[in-house]
Amino acid sequence: MAEVSGKVMSAKEAVAQFVHDGDELVIGNYTVGSCAELVYEITRQGKKGFTLYSQSGIFDVEVLVAGGCVDRLVTTYVMRSGGKKGGSAVERALKAGTLQIEDYTNFEYNARLVAGMHGFSFMPVLEGVMVTDIFRRRGFMGEKKFQVIKCPYTGKDILTVPAAAPDVCVIHVQRADAEGNAQYWGAMGSVAAAALASKRIIVSCEEIVDHDIIRSSPHLTIIPAYRVNAVVEVPWGAHPTEVLGYYNVDTFMYNGLFTAAAATASGLSDWMDEWVYGCPDRAHYIDHYIAKFGSETLDELRAKPFYSAPADYGAAFTSHWDRNGRERSMGVTLPELEKLLQERGKVYE
Amino acid sequence: MSKPFTLDELLAIAVAREIHDYENVVLGVGVPMTAGALAKQLLAPHATLMMESGIVDIRPLLSLNNIADAHSARGFSYATDLFSAFTATYRGFVDVCFLGVAQVDKYGNLNTTVIGDYNKPDMRLPGSGGAADFISYAKRTVLTMRGGTFVNKLDYFTSPGYLEGGDSRDKTGLFPVGSGPSALISTKGIFRFDPVTKEMYLATIHPGVSLESVKKDIPWDLKVSPDLSQTERPTDEEIDFIRNFAPELSAGRELTVELRNAALRKKAELRAGKNA
């Protein structure tokens, strides 16, 4: 653990401080390694009234919807959690009229965040969709879902989507430092855009590492510290989904327990009573898991290392002054330089 | 004669055969991923396999769980992002993409969003994901069908095939000329699209499947190729590859679930025994 920073806190503190009822909330992760603990904590705190953005809804969206946290969902893909024959919390909420949905394609959804990330008010998207119901059928966004404009250069019709700048992003990454420099690698998806488009960012990570590690591998940093509000260290923070380099997806929990539970409202409610509401934090969750299924079930999921070749950030020298104390291009020592400045009347008392 | 195979295996192998060497290939979730791996290993070694999550040039070692699954390989060549994966498609760098089908009409238009009313659905399906954009801009698209339905009218029009047929797709000016679905491969046969009318027809039928059984799934009067032949049998090498690489695909959905549940029960019993 690196030096103590004001940003390092528990999931409970981070959610209480930075997630508010009625927020536009975005789940930063895409398809893999979702921020399970942050999502569960939001659900435990009973936050509500969200407009939820999710590029690819898996168990995370199911838990938030079943927890009654979400009024509106902006998405491109929602897993049918209960399998083909079972339902999903999203489907049940739509049928009950408690959830409104807006469908985009993957690119369009991501383009909204990219616009937000760069401070633009809209983004052009791929025009083929204009012939489909994705364009023609509007949900709660109505006219603002898409607008068609004329390209000022070619005169052609351009399909556009409005920028999205959610109030808060929750996101899980491999590692971060105490200041919030967040490093993520693997399937990049729309992960960086989701975070950078947002006003507040809560990062959870498998481990908090020393700043020196970040400094030697900046190509892995997807969110800079100055944008991050809270850093939460949560080993197994994405379980039952996977984190590259740390652990695989837990098909026993995911396909075995969760999917079976998600097929019905009461099944999912029981599952959440045990695994979301029944565990005050991730440490308790993991303890409960081990007590129930044994530590070997978790150990089997641990990744075996396959290290990236180190990128060499080295340079020929790190000082203007050579080993004889002479400036590398001017050929003088610092005292000589100071003397010259004096002689030529360039310095003032 | 090759060894016996399941229809799911034949489906994956037929899909793999749609990939040509040196092509840039976008894989969708499920069967196409296994097909892509098979193609890379046996049929098209220089193909570049990519996914919308930004994983480019992956050599999967075991079947992938989803389109962002980097755990199934030892690294990959290029980690771009989703935005750039689609703009590369838009610029014409993707030769072929593969999409799963929930509802399809005779011109290869797709619904993967909803059955029934959009706002109060009978069945909420996943949605577009990348489908609508890929089928718009990949040079060609192969549709895969393992449990979807043929319909006269889609409940929701998610992804554009040949619209109303004929030259209606090209006439919009929205798509690269000549793009669109090139085949639909199901567990019963391979369908292709008439070059002029763009209507789907049965091109080959899988071994052991009757024409009646194909036709009973289709609510319009299906056109059948005048020289309808049997789908080429898979080779032993292809079958062995699938069984090693994706045993759950070989097992099929029903048997997979049955065996998985049995294994889960056994695990729970063992655990209960240890705790007692």
Side-chain angles (χ1 to χ4, degrees):
Chain A
M1 170 83 87
E3 72 271 25
V4 177
S5 151
K7 292 180 187 175
V8 176
M9 59 184 82
S10 66
K12 192 177 214 161
E13 291 164 332
V15 168
Q17 198 175 334
F18 296 111
V19 181
H20 312 313
D21 286 351
D23 271 353
E24 288 202 348
L25 167 70
V26 59
I27 294 172
N29 299 99
Y30 170 57
T31 303
V32 291
S34 191
C35 44
E37 174 59 1
L38 294 177
V39 162
Y40 291 10
E41 183 56 33
I42 289 168
T43 311
R44 282 194 289 264
Q45 291 192 21
K47 303 277 184 184
K48 56 185 187 297
F50 294 131
T51 297
L52 178 65
Y53 288 74
S54 166
Q55 175 99 49
S56 189
I58 48 176
F59 75 106
D60 43 16
V61 168
E62 289 287 283
V63 165
L64 284 168
V65 168
C69 308
V70 184
D71 289 353
R72 292 168 163 184
L73 176 62
V74 182
T75 191
T76 87
Y77 195 90
V78 280
M79 188 183 77
R80 200 172 160 74
S81 296
K84 191 169 183 216
K85 293 198 182 102
S88 66
V90 167
E91 181 181 282
R92 290 188 288 272
L94 288 171
K95 283 180 171 170
T98 56
L99 179 71
Q100 293 178 286
I101 193 165
E102 197 71 87
D103 271 272
Y104 282 105
T105 68
N106 261 342
F107 182 74
E108 292 157 356
Y109 171 98
N110 189 196
R112 294 192 60 199
L113 294 168
V114 170
M117 161 186 175
H118 292 289
F120 300 140
S121 56
F122 71 90
M123 187 62 69
V125 292
L126 316 185
E127 58 272 16
V129 165
M130 282 196 279
V131 303
T132 73
D133 284 341
I134 298 170
F135 175 76
R136 291 192 292 236
R137 304 269 285 267
R138 309 295 173 96
F140 60 85
M141 291 179 67
E143 289 301 305
K144 291 197 167 153
K145 183 179 181 185
F146 291 102
Q147 286 287 322
V148 179
I149 59 170
K150 276 263 180 284
C151 172
Y153 301 99
T154 65
K156 282 173 77 174
D157 281 347
I158 291 184
L159 180 63
T160 73
V161 289
D167 296 300
V168 58
C169 174
V170 287
I171 186 167
H172 190 69
V173 300
Q174 279 99 338
R175 66 192 188 198
D177 67 11
E179 299 302 321
N181 289 300
Q183 295 199 324
Y184 172 85
W185 56 93
M188 304 312 287
S190 53
V191 179
L196 296 173
S198 300
K199 298 178 182 75
R200 300 182 295 272
I201 304 171
I202 302 176
V203 170
S204 68
C205 58
E206 287 298 311
E207 53 183 329
I208 292 179
V209 296
D210 285 338
H211 177 64
D212 285 352
I213 290 178
I214 304 289
R215 190 157 286 276
S216 72
S217 53
H219 54 284
L220 300 177
T221 307
I222 62 161
I223 315 167
Y226 75 86
R227 294 293 317 278
V228 171
N229 298 86
V231 182
V232 182
E233 189 179 45
V234 201
W236 296 101
H239 183 269
T241 50
E242 62 279 68
V243 176
L244 195 63
Y246 289 81
Y247 45 87
N248 274 38
V249 66
D250 186 349
T251 50
F252 172 60
M253 173 59 108
Y254 207 119
N255 299 339
L257 301 181
F258 171 74
T259 305
T264 65
S266 65
L268 186 55
S269 165
D270 290 348
W271 183 89
M272 285 174 61
D273 281 345
E274 180 172 3
W275 296 103
V276 179
Y277 299 114
C279 304
D281 58 28
R282 186 92 332 194
H284 283 85
Y285 167 96
I286 292 297
D287 286 349
H288 179 57
Y289 186 98
I290 288 173
K292 201 159 176 179
F293 305 120
S295 55
E296 65 275 14
T297 312
L298 275 187
D299 287 338
E300 281 169 15
L301 303 174
R302 287 183 200 274
K304 295 170 186 70
F306 178 63
Y307 286 105
S308 180
D312 193 343
Y313 278 82
F317 44 79
T318 54
S319 166
H320 276 292
W321 308 95
D322 69 17
R323 74 174 80 111
N324 300 314
R326 296 197 172 277
E327 206 283 332
R328 290 178 192 278
S329 58
M330 295 185 288
V332 295
T333 65
L334 186 53
E336 283 168 358
L337 179 61
E338 286 171 345
K339 191 165 163 243
L340 280 168
L341 289 170
Q342 190 87 40
E343 283 169 12
R344 304 209 180 174
K346 299 285 188 192
V347 287
Y348 297 82
E349 293 300 329
Chain B
M1 187 86 112
S2 60
K3 67 163 80 173
F5 50 86
T6 72
L7 289 178
D8 284 329
E9 290 169 339
L10 182 61
L11 166 63
I13 292 162
V15 170
R17 289 173 174 173
E18 297 291 318
I19 297 172
H20 308 142
D21 209 4
Y22 294 96
E23 283 191 327
N24 295 336
V25 183
V26 165
L27 300 175
V29 69
V31 170
M33 295 188 167
T34 295
L38 168 65
K40 183 83 187 157
Q41 183 69 30
L42 298 178
L43 308 169
H46 305 95
T48 300
L49 305 182
M50 54 180 90
M51 299 182 285
E52 65 216 74
S53 61
I55 293 175
V56 176
D57 190 21
I58 188 170
R59 284 174 181 274
L61 299 169
L62 62 165
S63 60
L64 286 80
N65 287 317
N66 53 56
I67 49 86
D69 186 356
H71 285 72
S72 298
R74 305 263 288 174
F76 49 96
S77 300
Y78 179 43
T80 186
D81 58 13
L82 187 144
F83 194 87
S84 307
F86 280 101
T87 51
T89 311
Y90 188 53
R91 289 194 56 202
F93 294 114
V94 171
D95 296 299
V96 58
C97 77
F98 294 87
L99 301 177
V101 170
Q103 276 186 341
V104 60
D105 71 16
K106 68 164 75 161
Y107 297 117
N109 302 301
L110 308 177
N111 170 23
T112 51
T113 303
V114 69
I115 307 289
D117 180 67
Y118 179 69
N119 293 310
K120 292 270 171 87
D122 293 332
M123 197 186 240
R124 173 64 209 200
L125 306 172
S128 166
D133 290 319
F134 280 135
I135 198 173
S136 292
Y137 296 101
K139 286 182 190 154
R140 62 182 201 280
T141 299
V142 175
L143 309 175
T144 66
M145 199 157 163
R146 202 183 170 202
T149 50
F150 296 91
V151 296
N152 283 320
K153 186 166 175 12
L154 305 173
D155 287 24
Y156 183 100
F157 181 12
T158 312
S159 302
Y162 292 111
L163 309 184
E164 290 89 41
D167 59 356
S168 59
R169 178 177 167 114
D170 284 346
K171 262 192 357 205
T172 63
L174 298 172
F175 307 96
V177 172
S179 64
S182 61
L184 182 151
I185 305 180
S186 78
T187 50
K188 293 186 176 175
I190 300 179
F191 303 80
R192 301 210 182 260
F193 295 84
D194 183 276
V196 176
T197 66
K198 301 296 183 188
E199 186 177 329
M200 180 190 302
Y201 66 91
L202 182 65
T204 72
I205 191 164
H206 295 341
V209 177
S210 71
L211 188 55
E212 275 162 25
S213 141
V214 175
K215 283 191 162 174
K216 83 172 170 41
D217 299 334
I218 295 175
W220 66 85
D221 186 17
L222 176 72
K223 300 216 168 42
V224 176
S225 170
D227 47 1
L228 180 72
S229 58
Q230 215 176 59
T231 307
E232 201 187 329
R233 290 179 69 94
T235 64
D236 286 359
E237 200 182 18
E238 289 167 335
I239 296 166
D240 290 342
F241 178 88
I242 298 283
R243 287 191 191 160
N244 279 296
F245 180 86
E248 289 192 350
L249 188 141
S250 293
R253 280 194 180 122
E254 204 175 308
L255 185 57
T256 297
V257 170
E258 186 191 317
L259 293 174
R260 257 194 203 164
N261 288 342
L264 280 177
R265 270 197 306 278
K266 202 167 157 195
K267 200 169 201 170
E269 279 162 19
L270 273 174
R271 185 70 206 159
K274 270 189 206 164
N275 283 342

